[in-house]
Amino acid sequence: MEIGTLHTVATAEGISELDRPGHEIAELSAHLDAATARLLDLIREFDARGGWNNGFRSCAHWLSWRVGIDMGAARERVRVARALGALPRLADALARGELSYTKVRALTRVATPETEERLLAVGRAGTACHVERIVRGWRRVDVLAESRETARLHKSRAVHVYQDEDGMVVIRGRLTLDVGAVLMQALAAARETLYQRARGTDAGGIPRDVPAETSSMEQQQADALALLAESALHQSLDPGAPGERHQVVVHVDAPVLADPEAPGQSVLEGGTHVSAETSRRLACDANRVVMRHDTDGRTVEVGARTRTIPPALRRALHHRDRGCRFPGCDVSFGQGHHIRHWAQGGPTTLSNLAMLCRRHHRAVHEEGYQVEREPDGELRFRRPDGRPLPAVPPSPAIPDDPVPALRARNEAAGLHPHARTAMPGWLGERLDVGWAIDVLHPLAVGHQFPSQQEEETHVT
Ligand SMILES: [Zn+2]
Ligand SMILES: [Zn+2]
């Protein structure tokens, strides 16, 4: 039989034989999209309730581990799931199988509750390729509008400092978000230092001549700002050598490192107390200088600075572990964790080391997660309650033919997608992206787009 004649052999239902599988593909795809909507609902809820937050860095990391999809796809699902929470029309169209996940994914990159309706119409009318091109154009208008807004805000930055009638100095200002964040962080750090200083004085039993007053948050902020200004002048506004700038110095009594329950102190340079477990984590992989103190606390001997894990061993560790070993983590760099801490006599050898990222190093030291090396050399992780954390979870049971189950579930939910549910309204016209955005985008100011011809040449 000639292939060409297949198209013309119509069956009793009026569907040709070759059309039938096509029909089935379209129908099943619509069912899958409807099921994807349900899946995204579940992910959104799981994410919001923090169901993934038992040792995983994020909902996407959990999803990648549990479901076995790559991190890019996992992040995208979580993003789309979150976005659809505020976009009921798009969510609904996906749930009815009217818009494919591909289109919804593209549209959620730009849609807001205000523009959702218009973008839904774009999704219904165009092919996936049209939708992708419109979204790309839309983003360009968004980015331009955003940079205009950022420039406007940056221009309005100001700090006014003037003296009031009663002699007090008044400060009033506007800072951009990032500078504001730095300032707030610095104020918080200065408040903490002042708090620790005050507590240290109390603990020292030095009698105060003035009764301690509890100061308000605003007063504490004022004191913190004073400390910031003093420190800035003291440091001649020089942030120091790059290598030393972000160094954290911890002073730990040796018995505390060996046994967190032991009496002794672990304090940050500057006096902030840290928990014994935190000091153990920081010491796990660090530069260390051993100092010996006499009974009065005077330093009598200072050893040479050494790395806890020598460079050659660290390279071997990187080569063996290739990143964090915590189940489901894909961070490709990390710190060397001593499975048995060196302060407790654990050797600094490959078999006693495991690479962990910063997040999971904290999980193991401060959050009660446990890691051991089995006799066969494999690592075994346990949750704080002692239950093992499997490296790869078992797959759920799936019926032999999942399609009828999927169909039945959608029908039970009142959804009846069919082969034409997701058909675009496009009749084959050429798409003029520039014109479409000018008409649709609320912030489009016209002529932000190359003409049709230019765009076509860029695309090809
Ligand atoms: Zn460690
Ligand atoms: Zn990790």
Side-chain angles (χ1 to χ4, degrees):
M1 195 207 294
E2 278 178 51
I3 298 202
T5 60
L6 265 178
H7 292 282
T8 56
V9 181
T11 61
E13 294 90 359
I15 301 166
S16 80
E17 249 173 87
L18 200 57
D19 276 347
R20 190 175 288 286
H23 190 85
E24 212 171 302
I25 289 170
E27 192 195 333
L28 182 53
S29 298
H31 273 286
L32 286 174
D33 285 328
T36 302
R38 174 79 190 115
L39 178 66
L40 294 174
D41 284 344
L42 289 172
I43 292 175
R44 180 168 56 250
E45 204 186 313
F46 187 69
D47 177 37
R49 295 176 58 190
W52 51 270
N53 198 2
N54 43 27
F56 291 91
R57 300 170 70 87
S58 70
C59 189
H61 281 87
W62 181 90
L63 205 57
S64 167
W65 165 76
R66 188 69 178 81
V67 184
I69 52 178
D70 73 79
M71 271 308 296
R75 282 204 191 93
E76 194 64 355
R77 284 209 193 159
V78 175
R79 181 192 67 74
V80 176
R82 286 181 187 160
L84 286 182
L87 302 168
R89 291 185 184 90
L90 285 177
D92 208 44
L94 179 66
R96 284 198 306 267
E98 289 170 10
L99 278 195
S100 69
Y101 174 65
T102 307
K103 286 184 181 177
V104 169
R105 213 180 82 174
L107 292 171
T108 50
R109 289 211 297 272
V110 293
T112 62
E114 294 73 46
T115 58
E116 182 188 12
E117 184 92 62
R118 275 179 246 181
L119 286 164
L120 176 60
V122 169
R124 284 214 172 103
T127 64
C129 168
H130 293 159
V131 169
E132 184 58 44
R133 284 170 60 198
I134 294 223
V135 164
R136 239 184 289 144
W138 194 284
R139 266 193 89 95
R140 262 155 60 196
V141 176
D142 281 349
V143 168
L144 285 173
E146 208 175 75
S147 56
R148 280 199 301 267
E149 177 64 5
T150 310
R152 189 186 69 76
L153 287 175
H154 184 67
K155 243 183 170 163
S156 77
R157 73 195 187 281
V159 170
H160 306 271
V161 183
Y162 55 89
Q163 210 167 5
D164 215 355
E165 286 143 11
D166 63 359
M168 293 288 273
V169 172
V170 181
I171 304 173
R172 192 169 58 80
R174 287 169 60 82
L175 302 175
T176 53
L177 202 63
D178 50 333
V179 178
V182 172
L183 178 71
M184 287 191 282
Q185 236 178 52
L187 284 174
R191 276 205 319 274
E192 177 64 21
T193 305
L194 290 172
Y195 171 73
Q196 295 296 346
R197 272 189 201 168
R199 224 173 55 143
T201 318
D202 286 347
I206 298 162
R208 288 162 170 260
D209 29 5
V210 201
E213 60 162 339
T214 36
S215 41
S216 70
M217 182 63 177
E218 291 77 13
Q219 290 166 331
Q220 288 173 33
Q221 294 278 63
D223 297 341
L225 187 62
L227 179 63
L228 284 189
E230 276 167 16
S231 327
L233 289 177
H234 185 68
Q235 301 282 323
S236 316
L237 295 172
D238 178 6
E244 310 271 301
R245 203 181 299 172
H246 297 298
Q247 199 169 309
V248 179
V249 181
V250 201
H251 299 265
V252 202
D253 287 353
V256 177
L257 267 188
D259 174 10
E261 316 273 277
Q265 57 163 352
S266 3
V267 288
L268 294 181
E269 189 111 302
T272 310
H273 177 85
V274 293
S275 79
E277 269 306 340
T278 303
S279 64
R280 281 159 67 86
R281 170 167 59 81
L282 294 170
C284 218
D285 182 357
N287 276 320
R288 73 176 185 236
V289 178
V290 178
M291 296 183 200
R292 226 172 279 285
H293 300 275
D294 63 14
T295 42
D296 296 332
R298 276 190 296 266
T299 309
V300 291
E301 195 188 322
V302 181
R305 174 193 285 204
T306 50
R307 279 228 65 105
T308 312
I309 302 175
L313 187 56
R314 172 184 300 281
R315 274 195 296 277
L317 179 65
H318 265 280
H319 183 75
R320 187 196 63 187
D321 285 0
R322 306 212 168 271
C324 179
R325 295 296 313 276
F326 202 89
C329 186
D330 66 343
V331 172
S332 60
F333 47 86
Q335 307 166 329
H337 168 65
H338 284 72
I339 296 170
R340 186 177 155 80
H341 203 281
W342 57 261
Q344 284 174 309
T348 302
T349 56
L350 267 187
S351 61
N352 190 43
L353 290 172
M355 183 156 287
L356 294 174
C357 69
R358 188 181 288 272
R359 168 71 191 83
H360 288 127
H361 202 186
R362 180 185 294 276
V364 165
H365 278 280
E366 283 123 305
E367 292 170 20
Y369 285 82
Q370 299 139 46
V371 54
E372 293 145 25
R373 198 178 288 285
E374 304 277 88
D376 64 359
E378 284 303 308
L379 289 177
R380 172 171 285 279
F381 287 84
R382 290 179 185 280
R383 297 174 205 269
D385 61 9
R387 282 186 300 148
L389 202 61
V392 179
S395 301
I398 292 285
D400 285 343
D401 186 356
V403 176
L406 172 63
R407 215 173 283 230
R409 200 158 158 184
N410 281 340
E411 312 247 303
L415 300 166
H416 309 283
H418 52 78
R420 301 197 152 259
T421 306
M423 283 265 284
W426 181 55
L427 297 172
E429 320 83 336
R430 266 173 88 78
L431 171 69
D432 186 340
V433 177
W435 176 81
I437 302 280
D438 276 349
V439 171
L440 292 167
H441 198 300
L443 296 175
V445 290
H447 308 303
Q448 287 176 335
F449 283 86
S451 68
Q452 174 90 11
Q453 284 72 22
E454 281 176 63
E455 199 231 6
E456 295 296 329
T457 49
H458 285 154
V459 168
T460 50

